[in-house]
Amino acid sequence: MTSELAAPAAPVTAEPAATRSAATPTPRSAWRSRLLRVSSVAVAVGLWQLLTVNNVRAGLRFDTLPTVTEIVAEFGAQLRADQYYLDIAQSLIRIVTGFGLAAVIGVLAGIGLGRSRLLADTFGPLAELVRPIPAIALVPVAILLFPSDESGIVFITFTASLFPVLVSTRHAVRALPTIWEDAVRTLGASRLDVLARVVFPGILPGVFSGLSVGVGVAWICLISAEMISGRLGVGYRTWQAYTIVDYPAVFVGMITIGVLGFATSGLVELAGRRITRWLPREVEA
């Protein structure tokens, strides 16, 4: 009688091979992706060389731009000069200082504005009034406020990267499900425990999104500030090359800026993936 009323056991089915292959990328697909990325850059460089060597003028004046071979020759000359590395080191010091301060202060301020009604009412309107102002527009203020150009450039870099971090952190705090905090408070957790065990781990994805945006904006405003009031740095050297009509050196500076921005942004994203490795992720097919 009991055996007749028992529900039949569900048949055990094997996971389809197509599903497994879609979830786990094969080495062939990974190499195909890398090859496609390299090929896209190579095609762009080859097209640049073709248009500039043949002095093409089809709406755009490619005959006035340096060729790829001229840029490569200038790049090689600068790689053998100590000044090139000194400029890179100076720009990196400014980025690390300004962006590092913005990361710490932006995260703390974002948590405070997201968690405290008093702080949000007191400092929130001020932050929203200052946030739309482009950081490069603060160059006159930095010149008047700080005794040295170096401090002013760091201040501009800090201001540029502060608000992306602050706003992303504040939104991440406000988006946390309240049931998480209620659950740990039911278990007797203090306010510090809530911040350390619920709020901070829960906002990490949003924080690193803001950091990734912030480091890119920091580079944009740093280069602009170096062009306006700098004495050293990649931006200053690029502008100096433009003033003496050394266009290959201008493009070397532009390429250097792009590589430095790509590397620092990649480091931030790598740190974010390592720190938030406990999050479920979709694997690229």
Side-chain angles (χ1 to χ4, degrees), residues 94-99 102 135 152-162 214 217-219 221-223 225:
R94 291 165 177 165
I95 275 289
V96 170
T97 306
F99 177 70
I153 293 174
V154 172
F155 168 74
I156 293 170
T157 306
F158 162 78
T159 307
S161 51
L162 172 66
V217 177
W219 272 110
C221 292
L222 170 67
I223 298 302

Side-chain angles (χ1 to χ4, degrees), residues 123-275:
F123 298 104
L126 180 62
E128 291 301 320
L129 286 173
V130 177
R131 184 164 68 94
I133 301 175
I136 198 62
L138 300 176
V139 169
V141 177
I143 294 174
L144 296 174
L145 189 62
F146 293 95
S148 65
D149 293 336
E150 189 65 27
S151 301
I153 293 174
V154 172
F155 168 74
I156 293 170
T157 306
F158 162 78
T159 307
S161 51
L162 172 66
F163 290 105
V165 179
L166 187 152
V167 172
S168 295
T169 304
R170 183 185 64 186
H171 288 335
V173 170
R174 292 178 176 176
L176 286 176
T178 56
I179 191 173
W180 293 358
E181 181 175 347
D182 295 339
V184 295
R185 284 191 178 277
T186 303
L187 298 175
S190 63
R191 179 172 297 181
L192 184 60
D193 292 330
V194 172
L195 289 174
R197 298 178 180 275
V198 176
V199 176
F200 191 71
I203 66 173
L204 282 177
V207 168
F208 277 101
S209 296
L211 291 174
S212 181
V213 175
V215 71
V217 177
W219 272 110
I220 295 172
C221 292
L222 170 67
I223 298 302
S224 301
E226 287 180 342
M227 288 181 174
I228 294 173
S229 61
R231 294 294 179 269
L232 283 173
V234 181
Y236 169 77
R237 200 64 55 189
T238 303
W239 182 254
Q240 287 297 106
Y242 172 74
T243 58
I244 62 175
V245 200
D246 187 0
Y247 292 126
V250 171
F251 279 89
V252 169
M254 294 168 59
I255 294 171
T256 304
I257 295 166
V259 171
L260 291 175
F262 177 80
T264 50
S265 179
L267 287 175
V268 171
E269 293 183 2
L270 178 62
R273 288 196 299 268
R274 292 294 179 88
I275 294 175

Side-chain angles (χ1 to χ4, degrees), residues 30-118:
W31 279 107
R32 186 185 300 117
S33 177
R34 296 190 186 99
L35 181 61
L36 182 59
R37 296 175 185 180
V38 174
S39 299
S40 64
V41 176
V43 169
V45 172
L47 183 61
W48 180 282
Q49 176 72 1
L50 182 65
L51 293 173
T52 53
V53 167
N54 293 283
N55 297 323
V56 174
R57 301 191 66 168
L60 300 176
R61 299 185 303 170
F62 289 97
D63 56 333
T64 61
L65 298 178
T67 64
V68 174
T69 52
E70 292 173 343
I71 296 173
V72 170
E74 177 64 25
F75 213 127
Q78 293 203 22
L79 287 176
R80 294 189 295 270
D82 295 336
Q83 187 64 54
Y84 180 73
Y85 302 100
L86 182 61
D87 289 330
I88 290 178
Q90 189 65 36
S91 295
L92 287 175
I93 290 172
R94 291 165 177 165
I95 275 289
V96 170
T97 306
F99 177 70
L101 290 173
V104 175
I105 296 176
V107 171
L108 294 178
I111 293 175
L113 293 176
R115 296 278 300 175
S116 172
R117 177 62 63 85
L118 178 62

